[in-house]
Amino acid sequence: MAKKTVATLQTSSKRLTKAIKMVKSPKTGAYTFVEQVMAPELVDEFIKKK
C-alpha cells in the first residue's frame, strides 16, 4: 500500500514538514513517490488523500 516518511524542516519562524508517500499507478502498477512540503498539521490529510 502506501508508506509515509516525514522529515521536519525548520526555517526562520515557520515550521514545515516534508511528506513523502508511495503511490501505485493504476495503469502500469508501478510505484511512484509524491513529495510535498507543508505545515505539520496537514500531513495526515496528505497521507490519507488518494
Side-chain angles (χ1 to χ4, degrees), residues 3-47:
K3 289 187 175 186
K4 73 174 180 178
T5 303
V6 177
T8 303
L9 309 172
Q10 197 165 4
T11 59
S12 61
S13 64
K14 287 190 176 184
R15 192 157 177 223
L16 300 173
T17 302
K18 181 177 183 179
I20 304 169
K21 69 178 175 178
M22 194 166 67
V23 179
K24 188 173 184 179
S25 171
K27 291 182 181 179
T28 63
Y31 286 94
T32 59
F33 293 94
V34 178
E35 300 180 16
Q36 191 171 352
V37 177
M38 65 194 78
E41 303 84 38
L42 303 175
V43 172
D44 286 334
E45 184 179 317
F46 173 73
I47 298 298

